[in-house]
Amino acid sequence: MVRPSQSKIRQKRIGANQQVIREGSFELGMSAGRALPFFTPEGERVWAKGWDPKPIFPPQQNVAFQANSVFRLDQEGERSVWTILEADPQKYIAEYVCVVEGVRLSRVRVEIQPLGEERCRVHVRYVHTATSQKGLHFVASVTEQDYAQKMLDWQRMVNASIE
């Protein structure tokens, strides 16, 4: 079951800056502990098409799921640098900041709420801040309807990867 996306939009402009906040959630038929790895840099490879993070720090084969790890992602014609802000397996939280230089800065927070032994709710919050004219176009394109569809797609893709 997908809950309607709860969204907030900030239209305040400071120069060429604009920010949009999108939030939504969906349920998965697995424990919160089993679900969290799907929202780590390495776990997302399993279900997210084109997701291929390259570790920067610490320098190792795979991206470490720990605070202050840094990785690069080349996806859909963009190069972004990500930093893990919070990685808490006990609280089922993963939080990132992503910079697409000359375009935007995005903050992504995934919180997973246990709903029993074999159910959980995944809550995802994005804060996108434009840093250029191109970023303004991106921010304007992140509609409530598109975000609600994104949450449905995430739910479908994660479920498909475990079947």
Side-chain angles (χ1 to χ4, degrees), residues 29-99:
M30 65 180 77
S31 69
R34 185 170 170 219
L36 180 63
F38 287 98
F39 303 98
T40 66
E42 293 299 327
E44 200 161 323
R45 289 179 193 269
V46 174
W47 61 271
K49 183 180 178 185
W51 182 265
D52 186 23
K54 306 288 187 211
I56 295 173
F57 181 84
Q60 57 188 40
Q61 185 70 25
N62 296 314
V63 178
F65 183 59
Q66 64 188 35
N68 301 313
S69 286
V70 179
F71 60 97
R72 185 185 88 236
L73 186 65
D74 296 312
Q75 188 178 32
E76 298 176 8
E78 287 185 333
R79 172 170 279 183
S80 54
V81 176
W82 295 67
T83 301
I84 300 175
L85 300 177
E86 186 174 357
D88 192 331
Q90 284 73 42
K91 292 183 181 177
Y92 315 112
I93 295 172
E95 187 168 16
Y96 308 88
V97 67
C98 163
V99 177

